[in-house]
Amino acid sequence: MSSVLRFRRAALPLLLSIFAAQAAGAQDLLNDLIEDSPFRLELRPYVTLPSSRNDVISMTTRPGDARPYVTTQEGYVFVLDDNNDGTATATQFFNFASALSAAGRSMSGSSGQQGLQSIAFHPDFNRVGQPGHGKLYATYLENRPASAAGLNFLGASTSGSGVNADGVLSEWTFDFQTQQVASSSFRELFRVRMPRYDHPIKQARFNTWAVPGDEDYGLLYLTHGDSNVKHSPNDDPQQLNNALGKMLRIDPLPDGANPYSIPAANPFAGSADPNVLPEIYAYGFRNPHTFSFNRDDAGTTHILLGDIGRNNVEEVNLVVPGGNYGWTKREGTFIHRQLPDSDPDAGYVSGLAPLPADEATLGYVYPVAQYDHDATFSEVSSGSSIVTGFVIRNGSDPNFHNQLVFGDLSRRTVNNMFHADFNEMLAAVTQLDPDDPTRDEPSELTQAQVHSLQIALDHDNDPATPPQTYDNFLAMLQSTTGTTRTDVRFGEGAFGELYVTSKVNGTVYLATNTVPVPGDFNADRRVDGGDFLLWQRDFAALGTKSPADGNRDELVDSLDGELWQARYGQSFGSPAPPVVAVPEPATPALIAWGGFLAATMLRRRRPN
């Protein structure tokens, strides 16, 4: 099988296949292209949050801190401390709901798509003297204050009938002396009026691969759904005067009297039209629920985003600046037909049509991977809902190297945990060009192969006990909870390890076959001289993304060398790469030399 599947057929065969599906009642457009994976995701229960505050909505990391931070929809942020026995302890880091109340505001609720959505730490969070020191940002739904004085509404969207809340981005400051987020530090950046209590403001993230001096350093990305009925009849995601169905990018730090500033490189920053929002980075999304920053072999960082479809197709998109991803005109690689409100569930199969022959003139960007909704769950109208993770590149398991892991949070009872190859996605043809004969027709669009993952659950944290195996993540949850939804989310740890969570049970699972061995800095599955050379090259580097910062404290020092020394000579996975030669004398002497330099010659203060 080729590395990239070219599975879009010409318009007429597509149309015939749709009609055939309708006639047969198959309601399955693309699912035959999902292949079973030859390997399994190995999960172990890592921690369960308190039962009253356990709807995990997102996870993140804090600069200079290797521990994961977990955000719940109820308005709490927990930090996870590893117990060195395969489990962790969850400690409350930030009572966001209480702090918001102390600031005179209140969340709109914590059910459905309301409540706290995400927390993002500024990359300068740990750097004393920098304007981002101690800063963190929250996205959430907030009850609109009685007075609009001083509120910064972004864009031309309007609140629908009975909608009394807005999507809000706010800033908070951590007090390093008290080790608490100061409630008095609340600062609102902007808010978005929503037509409906659906598809609201979503995730906020900084590009953790960016370093000082990069264009992207310190810029905050966030997404907002179309906040509309299923087929979004207002076509808001295609309008550049609002934040609905968009990815936004800003510099969140104050700019004089302005609450934030617009990066000069934003694709619409120089627009002569005052109605165009310069905050927009990409548009044409329906419900851009999750996204992540992922680095390729050449060191270039790419954004992969999961966009939840209507009744037909779930998308993984490679985000490019200024890209138009088609909603509401397109759903996946199909025309989305705007069917009447009189039948709100109309649209499955019948709501699609093949792309026209002149599609190349329209300028849309299409998915790098996609799958359709099947009819194996009881409520077709509930749809499937993609949730993306990130690309595994830490070298722990060669089977998962370069794989994007993602899932589905809805009632999909088969194929609800997936992976796809990163290089296949990067090679996919996702834009048409009428002047390029190799990609001027819809049939020349390509996507990466989607694989369905099985689950191996180490339920008792005992390597001597065989794991419990399940066809998918929902089957695993159903064995203990009886749920009909996965409500899955993914988290990326400081070392590139994968965490999987579910709002169903408040448990955070660690994917043990994505945990790297300490000291394997170059991720080649062998702790050898090559890792030492990386450590030696970056020794005393402060606040960098160096792979040799083995404990993720933002300083490459003797502690990282000790990690390497403790594991020197180990190899894991297959095949093992050759050892990279290092100078004699042997390893311990070299480490001692590095430690001596760290202690005496290159004393650098750790960030506070």
Side-chain angles (χ1 to χ4, degrees):
M1 179 177 294
S2 64
S3 64
V4 178
L5 296 182
R6 183 167 294 184
F7 64 88
R8 287 278 66 79
R9 301 177 177 89
L12 180 58
L14 267 178
L15 188 58
L16 292 175
S17 69
I18 291 172
F19 288 159
Q22 287 181 277
Q27 297 185 330
D28 191 0
L29 298 172
L30 305 171
N31 203 44
D32 56 323
L33 295 164
I34 296 178
E35 294 186 348
D36 289 338
S37 177
F39 45 92
R40 304 177 301 187
L41 191 64
E42 299 171 7
L43 299 182
R44 181 179 67 217
Y46 191 54
V47 67
T48 298
L49 302 183
S51 59
S52 62
R53 51 188 72 175
N54 65 4
D55 283 359
V56 177
I57 196 73
S58 62
M59 295 181 67
T60 190
T61 54
R62 167 182 159 183
D65 189 342
R67 301 174 298 174
Y69 285 74
V70 178
T71 298
T72 73
Q73 200 168 347
E74 295 91 341
Y76 303 92
V77 182
F78 293 91
V79 60
L80 307 185
D81 287 285
D82 193 276
N83 295 327
N84 296 315
D85 63 358
T87 67
T89 299
T91 304
Q92 185 172 290
F93 166 75
F94 182 23
N95 187 333
F96 172 82
S98 176
L100 191 65
S101 178
R105 307 289 179 85
S106 62
M107 290 198 311
S108 63
S110 59
S111 62
Q113 296 192 53
Q114 301 185 69
L116 181 60
Q117 298 295 307
S118 71
I119 292 289
F121 293 94
H122 195 282
D124 281 339
F125 185 89
N126 220 32
R127 295 179 182 167
V128 177
Q130 297 300 313
H133 181 235
K135 302 298 182 185
L136 62 153
Y137 298 86
T139 54
Y140 54 99
L141 268 68
E142 178 191 299
N143 291 317
R144 191 179 306 120
S147 172
L151 301 181
N152 180 26
F153 286 97
L154 179 64
S157 57
T158 58
S159 297
S161 176
V163 180
N164 301 311
D166 304 311
V168 178
L169 172 68
S170 64
E171 178 189 86
W172 303 79
T173 303
F174 183 73
D175 186 326
F176 285 87
Q177 290 188 333
T178 65
Q179 291 293 296
Q180 299 288 328
V181 177
S183 297
S184 60
S185 67
F186 167 82
R187 185 175 72 89
E188 180 179 314
L189 279 73
F190 64 73
R191 61 180 53 223
V192 178
R193 292 186 177 93
M194 300 185 301
R196 288 173 61 94
Y197 278 118
D198 204 11
H199 305 173
I201 196 167
K202 293 294 183 180
Q203 202 172 53
R205 285 184 180 273
F206 291 94
N207 177 3
T208 55
W209 292 104
V211 297
D214 289 351
E215 172 197 297
D216 221 23
Y217 185 79
L219 302 186
L220 183 65
Y221 292 74
L222 65 152
T223 52
H224 201 294
D226 65 0
S227 185
N228 224 300
V229 297
K230 289 185 177 181
H231 56 300
S232 195
N234 295 338
D235 209 20
D236 290 317
Q238 288 296 312
Q239 312 303 320
L240 296 178
N241 64 352
N242 66 71
L244 305 180
K246 311 296 193 304
M247 172 175 275
L248 311 175
R249 184 175 74 165
I250 64 171
D251 183 334
L253 297 175
D255 179 28
N258 299 317
Y260 58 88
S261 61
I262 306 296
N266 272 17
F268 301 104
S271 175
D273 186 347
N275 295 315
V276 172
L277 292 183
E279 291 90 345
I280 294 174
Y281 189 77
Y283 65 107
F285 300 110
R286 182 175 182 267
N287 190 7
H289 205 263
T290 48
F291 67 95
S292 60
F293 295 93
N294 306 277
R295 179 162 283 194
D296 65 18
D297 293 332
T300 303
T301 303
H302 305 270
I303 302 173
L304 292 175
L305 176 148
D307 193 20
I308 295 176
R310 185 192 173 191
N311 281 352
N312 299 285
V313 181
E314 301 300 302
E315 306 178 11
V316 178
N317 289 292
L318 181 67
V319 180
V320 295
N324 180 356
Y325 290 80
W327 182 257
T328 59
K329 307 302 183 184
R330 299 291 180 269
E331 186 173 1
T333 50
F334 296 90
I335 290 176
H336 169 252
R337 297 170 59 206
Q338 290 280 17
L339 296 177
D341 291 333
S342 58
D343 186 0
D345 290 334
Y348 191 84
V349 180
S350 62
L352 293 182
L355 299 178
D358 65 348
E359 183 75 3
T361 65
L362 302 179
Y364 296 125
V365 185
Y366 303 90
V368 292
Q370 63 182 6
Y371 62 93
D372 77 328
H373 297 190
D374 58 34
T376 59
F377 46 82
S378 59
E379 299 181 38
V380 172
S381 63
S382 70
S384 295
S385 305
I386 191 170
V387 179
T388 49
F390 57 94
V391 176
I392 307 297
R393 288 183 61 86
N394 59 19
S396 175
D397 183 340
N399 292 321
F400 275 95
H401 177 70
N402 230 35
Q403 300 299 304
L404 172 72
V405 177
F406 56 105
D408 195 284
L409 62 80
S410 193
R411 294 175 175 86
R412 190 181 182 95
T413 56
V414 296
N415 298 332
N416 55 54
M417 188 71 80
F418 310 99
H419 69 92
D421 188 82
F422 189 30
N423 286 339
E424 288 185 11
M425 289 186 283
L426 294 179
V429 176
T430 61
Q431 297 183 64
L432 298 176
D433 183 351
D435 299 321
D436 184 347
T438 67
R439 54 185 185 96
D440 61 353
E441 298 179 1
S443 62
E444 290 165 329
L445 293 171
T446 64
Q447 292 84 34
Q449 175 67 60
V450 175
H451 301 269
S452 179
L453 273 169
Q454 289 187 321
I455 303 297
L457 178 66
D458 179 9
H459 60 289
D460 58 2
N461 193 21
D462 183 355
T465 304
Q468 298 173 342
T469 58
Y470 300 91
D471 286 340
N472 53 64
F473 189 63
L474 180 57
M476 187 196 82
L477 293 175
Q478 286 176 329
S479 69
T480 56
T481 66
T483 182
T484 59
R485 293 172 60 94
T486 67
D487 275 316
V488 67
R489 301 294 190 280
F490 299 94
E492 180 180 16
F495 303 98
E497 73 275 20
L498 174 71
Y499 297 90
V500 183
T501 71
S502 174
K503 290 166 60 176
V504 171
N505 59 7
T507 297
V508 177
Y509 300 89
L510 174 63
T512 54
N513 55 336
T514 70
V515 178
V517 167
D520 181 29
F521 302 144
N522 61 7
D524 66 358
R525 301 186 299 281
R526 185 179 181 92
V527 183
D528 60 8
D531 306 303
F532 172 82
L533 294 176
L534 273 177
W535 174 80
Q536 185 182 44
R537 181 198 69 185
D538 292 347
F539 186 78
L542 182 66
T544 70
K545 287 287 291 186
S546 169
D549 182 15
N551 59 5
R552 299 301 192 265
D553 66 353
E554 298 196 305
L555 177 65
V556 179
D557 59 6
S558 59
L559 295 177
D560 306 306
E562 291 170 7
L563 286 174
W564 174 78
Q565 182 185 25
R567 298 297 183 113
Y568 179 72
Q570 285 194 359
S571 62
F572 53 102
S574 179
V579 176
V580 178
V582 295
E584 297 294 342
T587 305
L590 291 170
I591 285 291
W593 166 77
F596 172 77
L597 287 178
T600 61
M601 296 180 63
L602 294 172
R603 292 187 179 182
R604 305 283 293 272
R605 289 183 58 83
R606 291 181 182 275
N608 293 320

PDB file of all heavy atoms in Angstrom, residues 4-30:
ATOM      1  N   VAL A   4       0.567   7.259   0.964  1.00  0.00           N
ATOM      2  CA  VAL A   4      -0.568   8.179   0.988  1.00  0.00           C
ATOM      3  C   VAL A   4      -1.650   7.593   0.086  1.00  0.00           C
ATOM      4  O   VAL A   4      -1.386   7.230  -1.054  1.00  0.00           O
ATOM      5  CB  VAL A   4      -0.186   9.590   0.482  1.00  0.00           C
ATOM      6  CG1 VAL A   4      -1.396  10.505   0.483  1.00  0.00           C
ATOM      7  CG2 VAL A   4       0.908  10.184   1.338  1.00  0.00           C
ATOM      8  N   LEU A   5      -2.865   7.487   0.610  1.00  0.00           N
ATOM      9  CA  LEU A   5      -3.944   6.872  -0.165  1.00  0.00           C
ATOM     10  C   LEU A   5      -4.655   7.916  -0.992  1.00  0.00           C
ATOM     11  O   LEU A   5      -5.116   8.928  -0.472  1.00  0.00           O
ATOM     12  CB  LEU A   5      -4.945   6.207   0.782  1.00  0.00           C
ATOM     13  CG  LEU A   5      -4.389   5.046   1.591  1.00  0.00           C
ATOM     14  CD1 LEU A   5      -5.484   4.440   2.438  1.00  0.00           C
ATOM     15  CD2 LEU A   5      -3.790   4.000   0.669  1.00  0.00           C
ATOM     16  N   ARG A   6      -4.774   7.621  -2.291  1.00  0.00           N
ATOM     17  CA  ARG A   6      -5.508   8.508  -3.187  1.00  0.00           C
ATOM     18  C   ARG A   6      -6.887   7.900  -3.399  1.00  0.00           C
ATOM     19  O   ARG A   6      -7.102   7.102  -4.304  1.00  0.00           O
ATOM     20  CB  ARG A   6      -4.761   8.643  -4.506  1.00  0.00           C
ATOM     21  CG  ARG A   6      -5.419   9.600  -5.479  1.00  0.00           C
ATOM     22  CD  ARG A   6      -4.480   9.921  -6.624  1.00  0.00           C
ATOM     23  NE  ARG A   6      -3.323  10.658  -6.161  1.00  0.00           N
ATOM     24  CZ  ARG A   6      -2.382  11.134  -6.967  1.00  0.00           C
ATOM     25  NH1 ARG A   6      -2.449  10.949  -8.255  1.00  0.00           N
ATOM     26  NH2 ARG A   6      -1.352  11.782  -6.464  1.00  0.00           N
ATOM     27  N   PHE A   7      -7.833   8.273  -2.481  1.00  0.00           N
ATOM     28  CA  PHE A   7      -9.079   7.550  -2.535  1.00  0.00           C
ATOM     29  C   PHE A   7     -10.262   8.399  -2.969  1.00  0.00           C
ATOM     30  O   PHE A   7     -11.399   7.977  -2.883  1.00  0.00           O
ATOM     31  CB  PHE A   7      -9.379   6.860  -1.191  1.00  0.00           C
ATOM     32  CG  PHE A   7      -9.581   7.769  -0.027  1.00  0.00           C
ATOM     33  CD1 PHE A   7     -10.841   8.267   0.260  1.00  0.00           C
ATOM     34  CD2 PHE A   7      -8.525   8.097   0.796  1.00  0.00           C
ATOM     35  CE1 PHE A   7     -11.024   9.078   1.354  1.00  0.00           C
ATOM     36  CE2 PHE A   7      -8.714   8.902   1.883  1.00  0.00           C
ATOM     37  CZ  PHE A   7      -9.965   9.394   2.163  1.00  0.00           C
ATOM     38  N   ARG A   8     -10.033   9.597  -3.417  1.00  0.00           N
ATOM     39  CA  ARG A   8     -11.127  10.377  -3.974  1.00  0.00           C
ATOM     40  C   ARG A   8     -11.356   9.942  -5.409  1.00  0.00           C
ATOM     41  O   ARG A   8     -10.450   9.964  -6.238  1.00  0.00           O
ATOM     42  CB  ARG A   8     -10.788  11.869  -3.967  1.00  0.00           C
ATOM     43  CG  ARG A   8     -10.826  12.488  -2.599  1.00  0.00           C
ATOM     44  CD  ARG A   8     -12.227  12.876  -2.157  1.00  0.00           C
ATOM     45  NE  ARG A   8     -13.123  11.763  -1.957  1.00  0.00           N
ATOM     46  CZ  ARG A   8     -13.097  11.003  -0.862  1.00  0.00           C
ATOM     47  NH1 ARG A   8     -12.220  11.213   0.053  1.00  0.00           N
ATOM     48  NH2 ARG A   8     -13.956  10.034  -0.730  1.00  0.00           N
ATOM     49  N   ARG A   9     -12.554   9.535  -5.717  1.00  0.00           N
ATOM     50  CA  ARG A   9     -12.888   9.138  -7.071  1.00  0.00           C
ATOM     51  C   ARG A   9     -13.407  10.338  -7.844  1.00  0.00           C
ATOM     52  O   ARG A   9     -13.668  11.393  -7.287  1.00  0.00           O
ATOM     53  CB  ARG A   9     -13.934   8.034  -7.027  1.00  0.00           C
ATOM     54  CG  ARG A   9     -13.465   6.793  -6.261  1.00  0.00           C
ATOM     55  CD  ARG A   9     -14.585   5.774  -6.204  1.00  0.00           C
ATOM     56  NE  ARG A   9     -14.142   4.565  -5.547  1.00  0.00           N
ATOM     57  CZ  ARG A   9     -14.231   4.365  -4.239  1.00  0.00           C
ATOM     58  NH1 ARG A   9     -14.725   5.314  -3.470  1.00  0.00           N
ATOM     59  NH2 ARG A   9     -13.811   3.248  -3.703  1.00  0.00           N
ATOM     60  N   ALA A  10     -13.606  10.158  -9.139  1.00  0.00           N
ATOM     61  CA  ALA A  10     -14.164  11.224  -9.960  1.00  0.00           C
ATOM     62  C   ALA A  10     -15.593  11.503  -9.538  1.00  0.00           C
ATOM     63  O   ALA A  10     -16.230  10.723  -8.849  1.00  0.00           O
ATOM     64  CB  ALA A  10     -14.118  10.813 -11.433  1.00  0.00           C
ATOM     65  N   ALA A  11     -16.128  12.647  -9.975  1.00  0.00           N
ATOM     66  CA  ALA A  11     -17.413  13.115  -9.484  1.00  0.00           C
ATOM     67  C   ALA A  11     -18.542  12.129  -9.752  1.00  0.00           C
ATOM     68  O   ALA A  11     -19.341  11.824  -8.864  1.00  0.00           O
ATOM     69  CB  ALA A  11     -17.742  14.464 -10.125  1.00  0.00           C
ATOM     70  N   LEU A  12     -18.657  11.584 -10.948  1.00  0.00           N
ATOM     71  CA  LEU A  12     -19.780  10.717 -11.264  1.00  0.00           C
ATOM     72  C   LEU A  12     -19.761   9.434 -10.431  1.00  0.00           C
ATOM     73  O   LEU A  12     -20.787   9.068  -9.846  1.00  0.00           O
ATOM     74  CB  LEU A  12     -19.804  10.391 -12.756  1.00  0.00           C
ATOM     75  CG  LEU A  12     -20.961   9.484 -13.221  1.00  0.00           C
ATOM     76  CD1 LEU A  12     -22.296  10.126 -12.852  1.00  0.00           C
ATOM     77  CD2 LEU A  12     -20.882   9.232 -14.717  1.00  0.00           C
ATOM     78  N   PRO A  13     -18.632   8.716 -10.351  1.00  0.00           N
ATOM     79  CA  PRO A  13     -18.632   7.524  -9.496  1.00  0.00           C
ATOM     80  C   PRO A  13     -18.955   7.838  -8.037  1.00  0.00           C
ATOM     81  O   PRO A  13     -19.603   7.058  -7.365  1.00  0.00           O
ATOM     82  CB  PRO A  13     -17.201   6.983  -9.649  1.00  0.00           C
ATOM     83  CG  PRO A  13     -16.765   7.470 -10.983  1.00  0.00           C
ATOM     84  CD  PRO A  13     -17.394   8.821 -11.136  1.00  0.00           C
ATOM     85  N   LEU A  14     -18.486   9.004  -7.547  1.00  0.00           N
ATOM     86  CA  LEU A  14     -18.814   9.386  -6.179  1.00  0.00           C
ATOM     87  C   LEU A  14     -20.313   9.536  -6.011  1.00  0.00           C
ATOM     88  O   LEU A  14     -20.908   9.053  -5.045  1.00  0.00           O
ATOM     89  CB  LEU A  14     -18.115  10.701  -5.824  1.00  0.00           C
ATOM     90  CG  LEU A  14     -16.766  10.590  -5.143  1.00  0.00           C
ATOM     91  CD1 LEU A  14     -16.194  11.978  -4.906  1.00  0.00           C
ATOM     92  CD2 LEU A  14     -16.890   9.847  -3.837  1.00  0.00           C
ATOM     93  N   LEU A  15     -20.929  10.244  -6.939  1.00  0.00           N
ATOM     94  CA  LEU A  15     -22.360  10.464  -6.857  1.00  0.00           C
ATOM     95  C   LEU A  15     -23.108   9.134  -6.895  1.00  0.00           C
ATOM     96  O   LEU A  15     -24.051   8.903  -6.134  1.00  0.00           O
ATOM     97  CB  LEU A  15     -22.814  11.365  -8.003  1.00  0.00           C
ATOM     98  CG  LEU A  15     -24.268  11.861  -7.958  1.00  0.00           C
ATOM     99  CD1 LEU A  15     -24.515  12.617  -6.670  1.00  0.00           C
ATOM    100  CD2 LEU A  15     -24.560  12.735  -9.157  1.00  0.00           C
ATOM    101  N   LEU A  16     -22.664   8.239  -7.775  1.00  0.00           N
ATOM    102  CA  LEU A  16     -23.311   6.933  -7.867  1.00  0.00           C
ATOM    103  C   LEU A  16     -23.148   6.144  -6.573  1.00  0.00           C
ATOM    104  O   LEU A  16     -24.083   5.466  -6.128  1.00  0.00           O
ATOM    105  CB  LEU A  16     -22.728   6.148  -9.041  1.00  0.00           C
ATOM    106  CG  LEU A  16     -23.059   6.692 -10.447  1.00  0.00           C
ATOM    107  CD1 LEU A  16     -22.326   5.893 -11.501  1.00  0.00           C
ATOM    108  CD2 LEU A  16     -24.568   6.667 -10.693  1.00  0.00           C
ATOM    109  N   SER A  17     -21.956   6.252  -5.941  1.00  0.00           N
ATOM    110  CA  SER A  17     -21.743   5.517  -4.690  1.00  0.00           C
ATOM    111  C   SER A  17     -22.623   6.056  -3.578  1.00  0.00           C
ATOM    112  O   SER A  17     -23.101   5.305  -2.728  1.00  0.00           O
ATOM    113  CB  SER A  17     -20.264   5.583  -4.272  1.00  0.00           C
ATOM    114  OG  SER A  17     -19.913   6.891  -3.877  1.00  0.00           O
ATOM    115  N   ILE A  18     -22.854   7.369  -3.576  1.00  0.00           N
ATOM    116  CA  ILE A  18     -23.741   7.953  -2.568  1.00  0.00           C
ATOM    117  C   ILE A  18     -25.162   7.444  -2.754  1.00  0.00           C
ATOM    118  O   ILE A  18     -25.831   7.028  -1.813  1.00  0.00           O
ATOM    119  CB  ILE A  18     -23.696   9.489  -2.635  1.00  0.00           C
ATOM    120  CG1 ILE A  18     -22.319   9.985  -2.164  1.00  0.00           C
ATOM    121  CG2 ILE A  18     -24.783  10.113  -1.776  1.00  0.00           C
ATOM    122  CD1 ILE A  18     -22.114  11.460  -2.366  1.00  0.00           C
ATOM    123  N   PHE A  19     -25.626   7.461  -4.011  1.00  0.00           N
ATOM    124  CA  PHE A  19     -26.970   6.968  -4.277  1.00  0.00           C
ATOM    125  C   PHE A  19     -27.085   5.488  -3.906  1.00  0.00           C
ATOM    126  O   PHE A  19     -28.098   5.050  -3.375  1.00  0.00           O
ATOM    127  CB  PHE A  19     -27.309   7.162  -5.756  1.00  0.00           C
ATOM    128  CG  PHE A  19     -27.554   8.602  -6.129  1.00  0.00           C
ATOM    129  CD1 PHE A  19     -27.445   9.015  -7.446  1.00  0.00           C
ATOM    130  CD2 PHE A  19     -27.876   9.537  -5.163  1.00  0.00           C
ATOM    131  CE1 PHE A  19     -27.667  10.346  -7.799  1.00  0.00           C
ATOM    132  CE2 PHE A  19     -28.098  10.864  -5.498  1.00  0.00           C
ATOM    133  CZ  PHE A  19     -27.983  11.281  -6.829  1.00  0.00           C
ATOM    134  N   ALA A  20     -26.035   4.736  -4.194  1.00  0.00           N
ATOM    135  CA  ALA A  20     -26.065   3.314  -3.860  1.00  0.00           C
ATOM    136  C   ALA A  20     -26.123   3.097  -2.356  1.00  0.00           C
ATOM    137  O   ALA A  20     -26.831   2.217  -1.862  1.00  0.00           O
ATOM    138  CB  ALA A  20     -24.831   2.610  -4.451  1.00  0.00           C
ATOM    139  N   ALA A  21     -25.389   3.926  -1.618  1.00  0.00           N
ATOM    140  CA  ALA A  21     -25.411   3.814  -0.156  1.00  0.00           C
ATOM    141  C   ALA A  21     -26.796   4.116   0.384  1.00  0.00           C
ATOM    142  O   ALA A  21     -27.277   3.465   1.308  1.00  0.00           O
ATOM    143  CB  ALA A  21     -24.374   4.753   0.459  1.00  0.00           C
ATOM    144  N   GLN A  22     -27.440   5.137  -0.183  1.00  0.00           N
ATOM    145  CA  GLN A  22     -28.784   5.467   0.250  1.00  0.00           C
ATOM    146  C   GLN A  22     -29.732   4.302  -0.026  1.00  0.00           C
ATOM    147  O   GLN A  22     -30.539   3.921   0.819  1.00  0.00           O
ATOM    148  CB  GLN A  22     -29.282   6.714  -0.481  1.00  0.00           C
ATOM    149  CG  GLN A  22     -28.631   8.004   0.001  1.00  0.00           C
ATOM    150  CD  GLN A  22     -29.179   9.185  -0.752  1.00  0.00           C
ATOM    151  OE1 GLN A  22     -28.727   9.493  -1.851  1.00  0.00           O
ATOM    152  NE2 GLN A  22     -30.168   9.841  -0.187  1.00  0.00           N
ATOM    153  N   ALA A  23     -29.640   3.739  -1.233  1.00  0.00           N
ATOM    154  CA  ALA A  23     -30.549   2.666  -1.608  1.00  0.00           C
ATOM    155  C   ALA A  23     -30.358   1.435  -0.735  1.00  0.00           C
ATOM    156  O   ALA A  23     -31.308   0.755  -0.362  1.00  0.00           O
ATOM    157  CB  ALA A  23     -30.342   2.311  -3.084  1.00  0.00           C
ATOM    158  N   ALA A  24     -29.131   1.154  -0.376  1.00  0.00           N
ATOM    159  CA  ALA A  24     -28.838  -0.033   0.426  1.00  0.00           C
ATOM    160  C   ALA A  24     -28.979   0.222   1.913  1.00  0.00           C
ATOM    161  O   ALA A  24     -28.930  -0.706   2.716  1.00  0.00           O
ATOM    162  CB  ALA A  24     -27.414  -0.525   0.116  1.00  0.00           C
ATOM    163  N   GLY A  25     -29.127   1.487   2.295  1.00  0.00           N
ATOM    164  CA  GLY A  25     -29.198   1.830   3.714  1.00  0.00           C
ATOM    165  C   GLY A  25     -27.873   1.668   4.416  1.00  0.00           C
ATOM    166  O   GLY A  25     -27.805   1.546   5.626  1.00  0.00           O
ATOM    167  N   ALA A  26     -26.779   1.636   3.665  1.00  0.00           N
ATOM    168  CA  ALA A  26     -25.464   1.377   4.266  1.00  0.00           C
ATOM    169  C   ALA A  26     -24.981   2.545   5.102  1.00  0.00           C
ATOM    170  O   ALA A  26     -24.372   2.362   6.144  1.00  0.00           O
ATOM    171  CB  ALA A  26     -24.447   1.078   3.170  1.00  0.00           C
ATOM    172  N   GLN A  27     -25.213   3.735   4.654  1.00  0.00           N
ATOM    173  CA  GLN A  27     -24.806   4.941   5.362  1.00  0.00           C
ATOM    174  C   GLN A  27     -23.355   4.855   5.830  1.00  0.00           C
ATOM    175  O   GLN A  27     -23.029   5.069   6.984  1.00  0.00           O
ATOM    176  CB  GLN A  27     -25.739   5.198   6.556  1.00  0.00           C
ATOM    177  CG  GLN A  27     -27.178   5.463   6.124  1.00  0.00           C
ATOM    178  CD  GLN A  27     -28.063   5.835   7.288  1.00  0.00           C
ATOM    179  OE1 GLN A  27     -27.838   5.407   8.399  1.00  0.00           O
ATOM    180  NE2 GLN A  27     -29.060   6.642   7.037  1.00  0.00           N
ATOM    181  N   ASP A  28     -22.471   4.529   4.931  1.00  0.00           N
ATOM    182  CA  ASP A  28     -21.061   4.344   5.271  1.00  0.00           C
ATOM    183  C   ASP A  28     -20.226   4.788   4.078  1.00  0.00           C
ATOM    184  O   ASP A  28     -20.038   4.054   3.130  1.00  0.00           O
ATOM    185  CB  ASP A  28     -20.808   2.867   5.593  1.00  0.00           C
ATOM    186  CG  ASP A  28     -19.443   2.651   6.212  1.00  0.00           C
ATOM    187  OD1 ASP A  28     -18.717   3.638   6.389  1.00  0.00           O
ATOM    188  OD2 ASP A  28     -19.112   1.500   6.512  1.00  0.00           O
ATOM    189  N   LEU A  29     -19.722   6.031   4.135  1.00  0.00           N
ATOM    190  CA  LEU A  29     -19.065   6.616   2.972  1.00  0.00           C
ATOM    191  C   LEU A  29     -17.600   6.250   2.858  1.00  0.00           C
ATOM    192  O   LEU A  29     -17.098   5.963   1.785  1.00  0.00           O
ATOM    193  CB  LEU A  29     -19.193   8.140   3.036  1.00  0.00           C
ATOM    194  CG  LEU A  29     -20.617   8.701   2.989  1.00  0.00           C
ATOM    195  CD1 LEU A  29     -20.572  10.190   3.247  1.00  0.00           C
ATOM    196  CD2 LEU A  29     -21.258   8.405   1.656  1.00  0.00           C
ATOM    197  N   LEU A  30     -16.882   6.283   3.978  1.00  0.00           N
ATOM    198  CA  LEU A  30     -15.433   6.142   3.924  1.00  0.00           C
ATOM    199  C   LEU A  30     -14.901   5.077   4.866  1.00  0.00           C
ATOM    200  O   LEU A  30     -13.721   4.801   4.876  1.00  0.00           O
ATOM    201  CB  LEU A  30     -14.768   7.487   4.304  1.00  0.00           C
ATOM    202  CG  LEU A  30     -15.184   8.711   3.504  1.00  0.00           C
ATOM    203  CD1 LEU A  30     -14.615   9.957   4.153  1.00  0.00           C
ATOM    204  CD2 LEU A  30     -14.717   8.602   2.073  1.00  0.00           C
TER     205      LEU A  30
END
